[in-house]
Amino acid sequence: MENLNIGQHISRRYNEELEDIRNRVLAMGGLVEQQLKDAMTALEKRDAGLAAQVVERDCEVNAMEVAIDEECNRVLARRQPAASDLRLVVAVIKTITDLERIGDEAERIARMVSTLVREEHSTRLFTQIRNLGHHVSSMVHGALDAFAHLDTEKSVEVWSEDRLVDDEYDSLMRELMTYMMEDPRSIPSILQAMFAARAMERIGDRAGNICEYVIYLVKGKDVRHTRVDKSG
Amino acid sequence: MENLNIGQHISRRYNEELEDIRNRVLAMGGLVEQQLKDAMTALEKRDAGLAAQVVERDCEVNAMEVAIDEECNRVLARRQPAASDLRLVVAVIKTITDLERIGDEAERIARMVSTLVREEHSTRLFTQIRNLGHHVSSMVHGALDAFAHLDTEKSVEVWSEDRLVDDEYDSLMRELMTYMMEDPRSIPSILQAMFAARAMERIGDRAGNICEYVIYLVKGKDVRHTRVDKSG
């Protein structure tokens, strides 16, 4: 299997194009991370203003996805990349889809804030889901880090976290359900908290997807739907 | 803008490769449709055996995604497609991601059946979500049809359905919530019904995504995150 040869092309312009695509993915990742962080802060502090800002900025994430996608198509058409360059472009096309959808989930979380700020007893709920939110935020950060440094060890590490997130989510759901049964009046707000938790769980999935693309990009091997281990 | 020229290459082998990719996407779509249909039937009839079969067959969907993805990468590397051929391959790479995730949602719905079969009062819940399920199933069917015939009118039509699905989902959720409040003992099973409904709503989203790729493929225009209308 050939080594990654980004930055080793005879055409300087081609190098620059590939570098530019990578940088734009990282910039998009940075914005998505910020959106997720802001959505979490809005949820914790019941800050409807910040939540509204997250909702509004989602179109920036979408615009970045479309722009990077077009750039990838241009490179595919003009440069006809092969081997690791081709894998980079394909991995980018997939990564930005997941990033855009992490952005959508952040927007979804932010939209729940406006419902929750009206509830008296919502502080307890926020605390319950805060840990899950921090866990998946750190997964997104780790996945982008793995992408930035083409680090497969880090990819496997972050990818493995997803199972822990799933367990955390399941136990949180069971807990929220007992609250509902104890106090049926709290059902509407607890449901919102459950949907926020579900959005977080899905963010963990998507961070895991990005890690799989990094492994594919570096190793030239499709690890989706299979067990990933360090020997891979 | 150039016309679609699939089937008009000098190399017969290249034509066959592109045709083969399209056929495999349609075969994968057929399996995903069947999975969704079986998951819905299992839910309606509380058939735990059929549900288990859906869960088991999800790996077939995953394997098809990986195989088509590899074939796309091979064509990109060997044939260096341009213009509409390139758009076809990129559209396929995206379409199969959404198909695979529709398959995941079908699996999720099937997994809920085993929880629900134990509940006495679940028949009413099934009826509630059946309509939503049929609605999104017909969207998936329509999206695959649009893909098969590269039919942009059909794409716009199916894509527009997604807003109706969202409305249907919202009103269903409100209804399920009032049941919860009336009878807190029903909370666990209603929650399962809610998650099944949410899975269906997401299937509608993904069918809409596939329609966008068809428009992109035929018109060479990215319509994501913008309003699609018939003048487009």
Side-chain angles (χ1 to χ4, degrees), chain B residues 189-232:
Chain B
S189 60
I190 293 179
L191 261 184
Q192 293 301 315
M194 282 180 160
F195 291 146
R198 204 162 175 79
M200 289 169 194
E201 184 261 332
R202 283 180 198 271
I203 289 170
D205 277 353
R206 296 193 174 280
N209 290 345
I210 293 173
C211 292
E212 289 172 6
Y213 308 145
V214 173
I215 296 169
Y216 156 81
L217 166 55
V218 178
K219 305 217 167 193
K221 191 163 128 175
D222 200 325
V223 293
R224 282 170 302 169
H225 319 303
T226 60
R227 227 193 139 284
V228 176
D229 60 48
K230 298 208 175 183
S231 69

Side-chain angles (χ1 to χ4, degrees), chain A residues 62 65 69 73 80 94 100-101 105 108 173 177 184 191 195 202 206 209 216 224-225, chain B residues 62 65 69 73 80 94 100-101 105 108 173 177 184 191 194-195 202 206 209 216 224-225:
Chain A
N62 297 346
E65 186 203 5
D69 216 33
N73 284 351
Q80 305 172 331
K94 293 177 186 209
E100 191 267 327
R101 286 179 187 159
E105 301 291 354
R108 227 164 249 148
M173 292 301 271
M177 204 157 69
L191 261 184
F195 291 146
R202 283 180 197 272
R206 296 193 173 282
N209 291 345
Y216 156 80
R224 284 169 300 167
H225 319 303
Chain B
N62 297 346
E65 186 203 5
D69 215 35
N73 285 351
Q80 305 172 331
K94 292 177 188 212
E100 190 267 327
R101 286 182 187 156
E105 300 291 353
R108 227 164 250 148
M173 292 301 271
M177 203 158 68
L191 261 184
M194 282 180 160
F195 291 146
R202 283 180 198 271
R206 296 193 174 280
N209 290 345
Y216 156 81
R224 282 170 302 169
H225 319 303

